[in-house]
Amino acid sequence: MTELRERDAMLCRSCGHEERASEGYPCKDCGTFICIMCVFKGVVRCERCEANAQHTTAPQGTAAGVAATGSAASSEKSPTLDWPEH
Ligand SMILES: [Zn+2]
Ligand SMILES: [Zn+2]
């Protein structure tokens, strides 16, 4: 019984608890193990990917706001990409 449990047990990368791998789900981004309890709570990413996702989402929102304001004055999309050599 202990053997079976150990073979099946995986460490959840979101809450850190050891849960049955067969009842968990892979992280949406990196595929690491997320336990069923976290999935029930709406967790789809491991702790690291979740932090990563929030980190990348926040600046994007700010950049979009800046771009929206700047685009009216300058060109349409991202001027930095098509910027001529001066
Ligand atoms: Zn968990
Ligand atoms: Zn992940």
Side-chain angles (χ1 to χ4, degrees):
M1 200 166 181
T2 322
E3 250 177 56
L4 215 158
R5 203 196 118 91
E6 259 182 54
R7 268 180 62 188
D8 197 31
M10 283 190 80
L11 205 66
C12 173
R13 295 296 175 188
S14 181
C15 68
H17 284 195
E18 203 174 71
E19 299 287 347
R20 293 183 63 179
S22 52
E23 288 178 357
Y25 287 86
C27 164
K28 196 182 166 194
D29 286 359
C30 72
T32 202
F33 177 67
I34 306 290
C35 77
I36 192 79
M37 298 299 281
C38 287
V39 174
F40 275 150
K41 283 188 279 181
V43 177
V44 291
R45 295 184 184 91
C46 68
E47 194 176 29
R48 217 179 62 184
C49 290
E50 185 62 42
N52 224 343
Q54 283 181 9
H55 191 72
T56 41
T57 310
Q60 266 178 5
T62 322
V66 173
T69 327
S71 64
S74 54
S75 59
E76 287 162 8
K77 288 181 182 175
S78 54
T80 19
L81 284 176
D82 285 327
W83 202 253
E85 268 188 34
H86 208 61

